[in-house]
Amino acid sequence: MRGTDQGRLCEEFSAGYYGICTLGGMLSSGTTHLVTTPFDVLKVNMQVNPLKYNSISTGFSTLWKEQGPSSLWRGWSGKFCGYGIQGGCKFGLYEYFKRLYSDVLVDRNKTFIFFLSSASAQVFADVALCPFEAVKVRVQTQPHFAKGLSDGFPKVYRTEGLAGFYKGLFPLWGRNLPFSMIMFSTFEHSVDLIYKKIVQKKKEDCTRVQQLGVTCVAGYAAGAIGTVVSNPADNIVASLYNKKAENVWQAVKKIGFFNLFTRSLPIRITIVGPIVTLQWFFYDSIKVLTGLPTSGGLRRCLEEPNLSA
């Protein structure tokens, strides 16, 4: 392994390294999801009541007039806490699994390792997120349900029991697993492509500012592509949590196959593209501040010619 750079707080792939990655994931995911709460409120209302909230501009206007400006920030605590915890698990475990699988599966190509690593991390991340998401969606679409997490958690437990928190776990996996697999793989390959074809320099030969610029471009590409793939499951999650359907199959029939892919897609791209870009930027900025290299690529103790692109 290469020697520790000057100013680096810990060695790569040490317990401290994974701790920094987890903390970076929590801070980057929690803060970026928090600032986009108004768009998320509109998104879930467009999914649950598409006739009333049929566009971004009129949807915001309707929410503002009927429920006041504070309605745009409903569910902010669920966004910040839930997605912060999810982000910590997602980024921290991704780094761990990527190293683990690249060491074990030396005969597999990079894409397979990226897919497997991100899927493994996302399974745990969504188990952590699911209770927060269950409360958040209800708070955002049912004005009198609860004010936030403090009264929302007890109410869900009283009325639906523990199962109420995990009603949407499988649709959540259906939404986030493909999104995460596509997002991480697209990011990794985009980073590699940008350095090879556009920057035409190795990452180590670029300044930190240039490296963070590559991170942002790759992050936006990853978010946009992942959003399109995950949109059907996102619509199903909103429908189940708001009792518009009793199960996944009923939700699909009520929403319609075409609408699964198109309903709320523009606003999701508006939300998710910048979110993912900022997440990767903040995440890699924290790495840079602690003396660690920016994200992208498989790094192991020894060079492996067996890992194909």
Side-chain angles (χ1 to χ4, degrees):
M1 183 179 290
R2 295 174 181 172
T4 303
D5 293 344
Q6 185 176 6
R8 182 176 294 186
L9 294 184
C10 59
E11 290 279 0
E12 280 189 90
F13 314 121
S14 65
Y17 171 77
Y18 294 120
I20 290 173
C21 292
T22 300
L23 179 62
M26 291 181 67
L27 293 175
S28 62
S29 296
T31 53
T32 52
H33 277 88
L34 175 63
V35 298
T36 59
T37 298
F39 290 96
D40 190 55
V41 172
L42 177 59
K43 183 207 73 173
V44 294
N45 279 281
M46 290 176 74
Q47 291 172 330
V48 173
N49 194 346
L51 295 179
K52 185 174 183 179
Y53 304 98
N54 55 17
S55 72
I56 295 177
S57 59
T58 60
F60 274 127
S61 177
T62 300
L63 282 170
W64 186 287
K65 290 178 180 177
E66 294 187 356
Q67 302 177 32
S70 62
S71 66
L72 299 177
W73 291 97
R74 281 204 306 266
W76 70 267
S77 57
K79 290 275 287 181
F80 181 69
C81 296
Y83 284 92
I85 292 173
Q86 186 212 39
C89 294
K90 181 170 66 175
F91 281 92
L93 288 174
Y94 174 74
E95 298 279 4
Y96 171 78
F97 283 123
K98 185 171 72 167
R99 173 65 189 276
L100 175 67
Y101 294 142
S102 66
D103 283 343
V104 174
L105 305 174
V106 294
D107 58 337
R108 296 289 184 173
N109 65 26
K110 291 181 179 180
T111 301
F112 180 81
I113 292 173
F114 297 150
F115 277 173
L116 188 59
S117 303
S118 56
S120 299
Q122 194 67 50
V123 166
F124 293 99
D126 282 349
V127 171
L129 168 66
C130 203
F132 296 92
E133 186 78 353
V135 175
K136 177 191 75 73
V137 172
R138 289 173 171 86
V139 169
Q140 290 178 333
T141 57
Q142 302 171 31
H144 304 293
F145 177 79
K147 294 181 180 179
L149 294 179
S150 59
D151 55 342
F153 268 113
K155 188 168 184 178
V156 172
Y157 186 76
R158 284 197 309 269
T159 57
E160 302 179 44
L162 187 61
F165 293 111
Y166 289 96
K167 181 184 293 184
L169 180 59
F170 288 104
L172 203 60
W173 278 336
R175 178 187 75 183
N176 290 345
L177 279 171
F179 176 84
S180 185
M181 293 167 70
I182 294 296
M183 189 267 287
F184 277 103
S185 180
T186 301
F187 175 83
E188 297 273 12
H189 285 299
S190 296
V191 167
D192 186 54
L193 180 67
I194 292 169
Y195 281 118
K196 285 183 178 179
K197 302 297 184 181
I198 300 176
V199 180
Q200 297 183 345
K201 289 194 295 185
K202 292 182 179 180
K203 179 167 68 174
E204 294 78 11
D205 297 329
C206 297
T207 67
R208 292 300 196 187
V209 173
Q210 290 173 324
Q211 291 180 24
L212 289 175
V214 171
T215 292
C216 289
V217 175
Y220 191 85
I225 294 173
T227 299
V228 175
V229 173
S230 65
N231 201 58
D234 192 61
N235 279 299
I236 292 172
V237 168
S239 180
L240 290 175
Y241 277 141
N242 285 279
K243 299 181 179 179
K244 298 292 183 179
E246 295 299 322
N247 53 59
V248 172
W249 178 242
Q250 189 179 96
V252 171
K253 289 198 297 184
K254 283 192 172 184
I255 297 171
F257 184 77
F258 179 76
N259 289 334
L260 281 175
F261 291 89
T262 58
R263 181 177 294 177
S264 74
L265 181 59
I267 192 169
R268 283 199 73 224
I269 291 178
T270 301
I271 298 171
V272 178
I275 281 183
V276 174
T277 304
L278 288 173
Q279 277 181 10
W280 280 109
F281 174 73
F282 291 154
Y283 178 66
D284 270 2
S285 294
I286 290 171
K287 282 186 170 183
V288 167
L289 290 173
T290 54
L292 296 169
T294 55
S295 301
L298 296 173
R299 295 181 303 281
R300 298 176 62 208
C301 296
L302 299 173
E303 294 294 329
E304 303 103 4
N306 291 333
L307 281 173
S308 58

